[in-house]
Amino acid sequence: MPYLTKEKVSNIFTQFGGNATNTGSIEGQIALLTERINGISQHLQQNKQDFSTHRGLMRLVGQRKRLLNYLSKHNLQGYRQLIEKLGIRK
C-alpha cells in the first residue's frame, strides 16, 4: 500500500497550492517533497542498510533545496510562511 494516496496528495495541494489541481505551484511541490522525505526517513530508520533508498532521499532533499532557493529569491514572504508551516529549517 503506498504511503501517498491520491487523496493525501490532493489534500497537500489544496492546503499549500490553493486547490487540488494546482500541482505546479512551488509551495505545493515543496510540501509534497517534504511529505515524501518524511516517509522515506521513517523507512530508513528501520532499514539502516538500504543504501539505494538513501540515495533517493538525498536526491529529493536536493530537489527540495533547489525549489526553496527559487521561492526565497522570488517570494521571500511566502518562503518564510512555508518553512514555518512545514517545520523545516531552523
Side-chain angles (χ1 to χ4, degrees):
M1 183 171 162
Y3 63 96
L4 278 177
T5 60
K6 287 184 182 182
E7 293 82 20
K8 199 168 190 181
V9 171
S10 65
N11 284 341
I12 289 171
F13 280 109
T14 302
Q15 186 177 1
F16 293 98
N19 63 7
T21 59
N22 191 7
T23 57
S25 71
I26 298 296
E27 293 87 356
Q29 289 181 34
I30 292 171
L32 183 65
L33 283 172
T34 302
E35 188 69 29
R36 289 180 65 194
I37 287 169
N38 291 339
I40 293 174
S41 296
Q42 289 176 356
H43 167 79
L44 284 174
Q45 286 175 356
Q46 314 236 316
N47 304 286
K48 295 188 186 315
Q49 297 198 0
D50 190 355
F51 299 115
S52 59
T53 302
H54 185 268
R55 182 185 182 280
L57 175 67
M58 292 298 109
R59 223 176 124 242
L60 291 177
V61 169
Q63 186 176 0
R64 182 178 71 177
K65 182 180 178 185
R66 287 190 300 273
L67 287 172
L68 283 168
N69 283 339
Y70 175 85
L71 186 61
S72 69
K73 289 177 186 172
H74 289 84
N75 183 3
L76 188 60
Q77 192 64 28
Y79 167 78
R80 289 181 178 154
Q81 290 174 353
L82 184 67
I83 62 171
E84 181 72 27
K85 253 193 217 180
L86 292 175
I88 51 179
R89 306 257 168 121
K90 296 174 188 152

